[in-house]
Amino acid sequence: MKPLSSLLGIAFSTLLATGLQAQTTTKGGLKGQVQSGGKGVDAATVALLKTKDSSLVKLSVSNSAGQYELEQILAGQYLLRISAVGYQPSFTKATIVAGETKDAGTTELEAAAGKLQDVVVTVKKPLVEQKLDRTVVNIEGQASNAGITALEVLEKSPGITVDKDGNISLKGKAGVMVLIDGKPTYMSGTDLANYLRNLPSNQLELLEIMTNPPAKYDAAGNAGIINIKTKKNKAKGFNGSFTVGGGQGVYTKLNNSLNLNYRNNKWNLFGNYSSYYNRNFQELELQRVFRNQTTQQVVSNFEQVSNMRRKNMGHNAKLGFDYYASKKTTVGVTLTGFSNKSNNGNTNSTLIMDPANSLTSRTEANNSIEMRFKNWGANANVRHQFDSTGRELTADVDVLQYRNKNDQHFANYFFDKDGSKLQEDEYLRGDLPSTINIYSAKVDYTHPLKGKARFEAGVKTSIVKTDNDARYTEFDHSTGNWIIDTDRSNHFIYTENINAAYVNLSKEFSKKWSGQLGLRAENTNAKGDQLTSSLDFTRSYTQLFPTAYVQYAANEKHSFVLNYGRRIERPDYEDMNPFIYFLDKYTYQTGNPNLTPQFAHNIELSHSFKGFLNTTLNYTRTTDMMSEVFRQDDATNTTFVTKDNVANSRQIGVSINAGVPVTKWWRTNVYVNAFHNKFSGEINGGYLELDMNGWMTNIQNQFTFKKGWGGEISGFYRSRMLEGVLTAQSMGVINFAVTKKMMKDKGQLRLNFRDPFDLQYFRGTVKYQNIDLRIKNQWDNQVLNISFTYRFGKPVKGPSPRKNGGAGDEQNRVKSGGN
């Protein structure tokens, strides 16, 4: 730990000396030109490799004039590999100088002699890459990711935690914005978790984790942004891959996918399709103590056990094209859609006991939920490059719709301690259809300036309309008819318009100093109509969100980064809708129409040592924090969960990430994050203050053996930590995987065993005022997966593809049904 302590000492002394601290890099760039016969070679692949193990550092593609540029590279010696279809590859040494963009000159490629045979070029992508403003996790390169879901991929990634309900946190902080291919999912809470549980990992390429995104991104997400990039084949000609896989835990899981791409001349056509089938179980145990609020004496004890069985079937599809209208202008269209059908059955037993734990009564419940969730989306985008300096204009228009139909059936049976009937059975039906329509448009402009400076600006507008109609009916034994339950039914329509604009300016002041300043303004106009109760609300507010980055390259070994950002977390659409979602007769969830946004100030100081050891100190303060709170009706023995603006929170933390090639055949990446969370505010009419230390670690080991064999041992551990008002106990997992390349490296077989030691299950407690609750949650996590992937196709020459466009943050906030 001596090197680490010395690094931290340097970081703190630099902070005290400058007053406003520095961000890091000992970084430079490299530019050049690729020619053949005196003419520029278009779409040549330029790969910068480490000289030690030839692992990939950075990729670039030459433009129509054969020009390329590599930016933000740590100073040092590298190997430059330039290749193009129909030419022999070129290898040269390259030197990166801190603070400079060095000219590598012109590389002349020679035409390949004779017919070009199939060539497979292999580069080793790092498991985790630490970049200036984000952490990149290579998903496809990890064998243990085969056969699992996107939510499980997130759970095992550095700094990310997933709670018992599928809510995602980053570095111990809730409020994460999730993007798919740079676009918002327009989902959160239950539906986002459900979608990610049913998105196969074989559709994913990498994760981008940004704890403090620049002003170009929407300001939503207190803890930052997670961008999930799906596969899009950019190779030329007709190319593709397919994957077939399955898993066996207590129940069977199946997932299959097909990716196709054709690129030639002015067209790039792409599409993918995946299907999944997933059966699983969940066992939830709740123990509740009800007390007299005056004397605090125990009145009764509850013990509840819910056995849930779920079956999910679904389909995901994407189809699109890029059209290269000219060398400077690209137009693209993408169509997406998914459908998911799930059947959930729940048998619930509730034992009600007196203070001496003697049984007084018992309630049995049989609940079933059938959900059909459909989505379609369309994106049109255009990119125009004005010149070769990087000045460009991009625009995106998105239209999306989500439709959810949720049918619920509840039956409750009541018995005394001897098993005799206490009262008539209760039957309740719920019909909860919902529709979400989303329209979004954005324009971004980039303009390089003199003196190694760059100006960026953009505008965006979005309109979201949600229509949620919760219709409950109960069975009337006296008439034998179903009658409307007016206390539980509710029809809620919510409309929101967000208009945003931003400017961003970055500049290199010297070889050691550089900086970036950004400002984003967001104007929000919201209206909620509760048609059942005629209670409406209207809100309008404008907020500014500044961002600032300072970089300081002390020397070739040490570099520093200091950044600041202000962010917002708006309420999920249905969190403001006071409809009721039941677990059983005594436990339910309801929305809160009085919710308002929460705001956070984030500060991070990072240090990089030789590019492989990265240390980050962070401080976050959140005001008007939205949190799930438990409320209890002692008279009816009922507990319900809702969200409220209850408190302010503060977090101080430190994280360390190290990626080390232990040997030529063994690479490891270790991530450790330790933090202190403090939570204080007024809940249920009383003041509450909670604070706790917590830490987590994520370790990944990859092994490369001879004859195409490989392996992986990975896992994570979370200590006891505070999640709002809930204290979550420690939890961990260990995964094993084996891979084998075959069929001239075009095919790969993967076998992995997730959690063979059955370590991953959730335990938590909530205890404040009259709330005393213990939770235990287990699920089908011990799964043996096997999958086979085959890549096919031959490349031909063609133009470079247009980058993916993006929308805003609204898609991240949809809930349209139960899980």
Side-chain angles (χ1 to χ4, degrees):
M1 297 300 292
K2 186 176 179 180
L4 176 60
S5 61
S6 64
L7 299 182
L8 292 174
I10 293 173
F12 279 114
S13 62
T14 306
L15 178 62
L16 294 174
T18 60
L20 177 67
Q21 199 50 348
Q23 287 189 359
T24 71
T25 54
T26 37
K27 295 185 178 181
L30 189 72
K31 65 180 181 179
Q33 187 175 25
V34 186
Q35 290 186 356
S36 179
K39 296 182 179 180
V41 177
D42 183 21
T45 300
V46 182
L48 192 68
L49 312 176
K50 289 184 178 179
T51 56
K52 180 179 180 181
D53 57 5
S54 296
S55 62
L56 179 66
V57 176
K58 196 93 169 185
L59 276 175
S60 181
V61 179
S62 64
N63 60 21
S64 58
Q67 299 171 336
Y68 67 87
E69 184 172 357
L70 299 162
E71 299 177 327
Q72 296 296 322
I73 311 296
L74 286 171
Q77 298 294 323
Y78 296 91
L79 182 65
L80 187 67
R81 184 188 191 280
I82 301 178
S83 60
V85 177
Y87 300 93
Q88 295 181 4
S90 168
F91 293 87
T92 57
K93 292 183 179 180
T95 302
I96 302 297
V97 179
E100 295 183 10
T101 299
K102 189 173 180 179
D103 192 342
T106 300
T107 301
E108 187 77 16
L109 294 183
E110 296 182 7
K115 182 180 178 181
L116 181 68
Q117 302 297 319
D118 289 345
V119 178
V120 178
V121 179
T122 302
V123 291
K124 298 178 182 178
K125 291 184 180 180
L127 298 178
V128 179
E129 296 179 83
Q130 189 67 50
K131 298 188 176 182
L132 173 65
D133 57 356
R134 69 198 65 192
T135 299
V136 178
V137 181
N138 173 34
I139 297 174
E140 191 175 16
Q142 301 177 34
S144 63
N145 286 334
I148 65 175
T149 69
L151 192 65
E152 291 168 327
V153 169
L154 290 177
E155 187 178 46
K156 66 196 285 289
S157 298
I160 299 175
T161 57
V162 181
D163 70 11
K164 63 182 179 62
D165 299 317
N167 297 310
I168 301 167
S169 299
L170 183 57
K171 289 188 175 181
K173 297 182 289 185
V176 180
M177 179 181 174
V178 177
L179 307 178
I180 305 291
D181 291 327
K183 304 176 188 296
T185 59
Y186 291 98
M187 292 181 285
S188 63
T190 302
D191 284 318
L192 178 59
N194 189 49
Y195 173 73
L196 295 175
R197 283 191 186 102
N198 296 298
L199 180 63
S201 61
N202 55 32
Q203 289 289 297
L204 313 183
E205 182 178 3
L206 57 83
L207 298 180
E208 292 181 323
I209 304 171
M210 293 172 273
T211 54
N212 224 358
K216 182 176 182 178
Y217 290 91
D218 294 310
N222 280 14
I225 290 175
I226 299 174
N227 184 27
I228 303 174
K229 286 194 173 182
T230 59
K231 294 178 181 177
K232 181 181 178 183
N233 196 340
K234 296 181 180 180
K236 294 167 241 179
F238 178 70
N239 299 268
S241 66
F242 68 83
T243 299
V244 292
Q248 186 65 49
V250 174
Y251 297 104
T252 301
K253 299 103 173 43
L254 301 172
N255 57 82
N256 306 285
S257 67
L258 175 66
N259 295 276
L260 298 173
N261 189 88
Y262 179 74
R263 179 174 158 212
N264 194 10
N265 297 325
K266 291 189 174 184
W267 292 92
N268 181 56
L269 308 177
F270 57 89
N272 59 57
Y273 166 79
S274 66
S275 64
Y276 57 85
Y277 172 84
N278 188 346
R279 290 190 65 191
N280 58 75
F281 76 88
Q282 182 179 1
E283 294 181 355
L284 177 65
E285 298 179 17
L286 302 175
Q287 294 181 336
R288 288 181 277 193
V289 178
F290 291 85
R291 288 183 169 86
N292 183 294
Q293 295 190 41
T294 303
T295 65
Q296 292 300 303
Q297 295 296 314
V298 175
V299 176
S300 62
N301 294 292
F302 263 44
E303 289 187 4
Q304 292 177 281
V305 178
S306 295
N307 292 298
M308 291 167 266
R309 299 294 182 268
R310 294 171 177 159
K311 181 170 65 174
N312 292 284
M313 298 168 288
H315 308 270
N316 291 274
K318 178 193 291 185
L319 181 65
F321 68 84
D322 294 319
Y323 174 66
Y324 309 97
S326 68
K327 292 182 179 181
K328 295 183 178 181
T329 304
T330 305
V331 178
V333 172
T334 303
L335 304 176
T336 59
F338 73 84
S339 67
N340 174 56
K341 182 179 180 180
S342 66
N343 295 288
N344 306 330
N346 177 13
T347 58
N348 182 286
S349 179
T350 302
L351 303 180
I352 304 176
M353 296 167 286
D354 62 20
N357 276 333
S358 296
L359 182 65
T360 59
S361 63
R362 174 172 56 92
T363 301
E364 299 290 336
N366 291 319
N367 307 328
S368 66
I369 300 174
E370 181 176 316
M371 185 177 72
R372 293 173 294 281
F373 195 13
K374 296 181 179 180
N375 154 261
W376 66 267
N379 166 265
N381 57 76
V382 62
R383 176 191 182 189
H384 179 72
Q385 297 172 294
F386 294 92
D387 49 43
S388 61
T389 65
R391 188 163 66 100
E392 68 175 28
L393 183 73
T394 61
D396 286 86
V397 176
D398 290 271
V399 179
L400 302 102
Q401 184 182 83
Y402 291 87
R403 297 181 68 88
N404 186 10
K405 185 169 176 57
N406 194 324
D407 297 324
Q408 305 176 352
H409 298 268
F410 303 95
N412 294 288
Y413 313 97
F414 308 94
F415 306 92
D416 63 17
K417 63 180 181 178
D418 299 319
S420 301
K421 283 277 189 178
L422 269 179
Q423 63 184 70
E424 285 186 328
D425 302 335
E426 287 185 358
Y427 302 101
L428 182 69
R429 296 190 308 197
D431 180 15
L432 285 72
S434 66
T435 302
I436 302 133
N437 292 297
I438 301 160
Y439 310 91
S440 176
K442 61 176 292 195
V443 177
D444 296 290
Y445 175 70
T446 301
H447 192 120
L449 302 173
K450 294 182 180 180
K452 295 183 179 180
R454 185 171 66 174
F455 172 79
E456 296 174 288
V459 294
K460 179 201 163 183
T461 185
S462 65
I463 298 175
V464 179
K465 184 175 182 179
T466 71
D467 189 334
N468 297 274
D469 192 3
R471 302 189 291 259
Y472 285 99
T473 57
E474 58 182 348
F475 185 73
D476 186 346
H477 289 275
S478 62
T479 63
N481 297 320
W482 290 90
I483 60 175
I484 296 176
D485 188 336
T486 56
D487 293 331
R488 297 184 174 105
S489 299
N490 184 43
H491 191 181
F492 180 70
I493 296 177
Y494 178 77
T495 304
E496 181 182 80
N497 164 237
I498 300 177
N499 304 296
Y502 76 91
V503 292
N504 199 72
L505 182 64
S506 58
K507 179 176 173 55
E508 293 184 23
F509 297 100
S510 66
K511 292 182 179 180
K512 291 189 175 184
W513 289 93
S514 61
Q516 179 175 301
L517 290 175
L519 182 64
R520 186 178 185 90
E522 293 190 352
N523 167 255
T524 304
N525 304 283
K527 182 179 181 181
D529 295 323
Q530 299 181 53
L531 303 184
T532 305
S533 61
S534 299
L535 295 176
D536 305 332
F537 66 84
T538 301
R539 299 191 183 112
S540 181
Y541 53 91
T542 301
Q543 295 284 338
L544 297 178
F545 302 95
T547 56
Y549 301 78
V550 179
Q551 308 177 28
Y552 174 66
N555 50 48
E556 293 185 357
K557 294 183 179 180
H558 301 281
S559 58
F560 301 86
V561 176
L562 180 73
N563 63 59
Y564 163 79
R566 182 176 186 254
R567 302 193 65 78
I568 185 175
E569 182 75 6
R570 297 179 180 89
D572 293 337
Y573 303 125
E574 282 73 26
D575 279 341
M576 294 178 288
N577 177 15
F579 76 95
I580 297 174
Y581 178 78
F582 288 94
L583 174 65
D584 56 66
K585 177 178 175 62
Y586 304 100
T587 314
Y588 63 91
Q589 184 171 336
T590 184
N592 177 8
N594 297 315
L595 272 179
T596 58
Q598 66 182 33
F599 297 90
H601 298 270
N602 300 323
I603 302 175
E604 289 187 344
L605 170 64
S606 301
H607 171 264
S608 179
F609 176 68
K610 291 186 176 181
F612 80 93
L613 179 63
N614 299 283
T615 305
T616 302
L617 304 175
N618 75 275
Y619 173 84
T620 301
R621 178 167 178 78
T622 304
T623 58
D624 297 322
M625 179 179 174
M626 294 182 294
S627 178
E628 282 192 344
V629 295
F630 294 80
R631 290 181 178 148
Q632 197 163 276
D633 188 334
D634 297 301
T636 60
N637 294 321
T638 302
T639 301
F640 67 93
V641 181
T642 189
K643 276 194 174 181
D644 206 349
N645 299 97
V646 295
N648 296 329
S649 69
R650 183 217 64 196
Q651 185 197 78
I652 301 174
V654 58
S655 64
I656 301 173
N657 189 82
V660 183
V662 182
T663 66
K664 291 183 178 180
W665 52 270
W666 177 12
R667 290 186 298 160
T668 186
N669 193 91
V670 179
Y671 174 87
V672 180
N673 180 210
F675 47 85
H676 178 81
N677 283 341
K678 184 176 181 180
F679 176 97
S680 60
E682 186 174 305
I683 300 179
N684 301 346
Y687 183 77
L688 178 67
E689 184 171 310
L690 301 170
D691 67 297
M692 186 179 298
N693 296 319
W695 68 279
M696 65 182 73
T697 184
N698 179 288
I699 301 175
Q700 296 175 336
N701 297 279
Q702 279 200 332
F703 309 96
T704 304
F705 305 117
K706 295 180 179 179
K707 297 183 179 181
W709 286 94
E712 181 181 327
I713 301 175
S714 64
F716 72 85
Y717 176 80
R718 290 172 43 190
S719 74
R720 180 172 176 261
M721 63 178 60
L722 196 63
E723 297 178 356
V725 297
L726 185 147
T727 300
Q729 302 301 318
S730 60
M731 180 173 67
V733 70
I734 299 177
N735 307 309
F736 298 90
V738 178
T739 64
K740 176 65 171 76
K741 292 182 179 179
M742 55 187 65
M743 305 172 72
K744 297 182 179 180
D745 288 348
K746 289 186 176 182
Q748 186 175 56
L749 188 68
R750 301 185 181 191
L751 178 71
N752 76 65
F753 198 174
R754 179 177 174 82
D755 197 15
F757 305 118
D758 197 21
L759 302 176
Q760 190 177 8
Y761 58 92
F762 178 85
R763 295 167 299 147
T765 58
V766 182
K767 193 170 184 178
Y768 59 90
Q769 297 163 12
N770 67 327
I771 306 294
D772 190 343
L773 171 66
R774 289 173 175 81
I775 305 169
K776 183 179 180 181
N777 195 7
Q778 294 180 287
W779 54 90
D780 196 5
N781 55 301
Q782 283 185 292
V783 181
L784 181 67
N785 293 291
I786 185 169
S787 70
F788 174 74
T789 299
Y790 181 77
R791 294 177 174 84
F792 54 86
K794 293 185 178 181
V796 297
K797 186 175 175 60
S800 303
R802 182 238 195 263
K803 296 179 180 178
N804 287 336
D809 87 295
E810 299 74 26
Q811 190 168 345
N812 213 45
R813 296 163 51 214
V814 173
K815 291 180 186 174
S816 51
N819 187 2

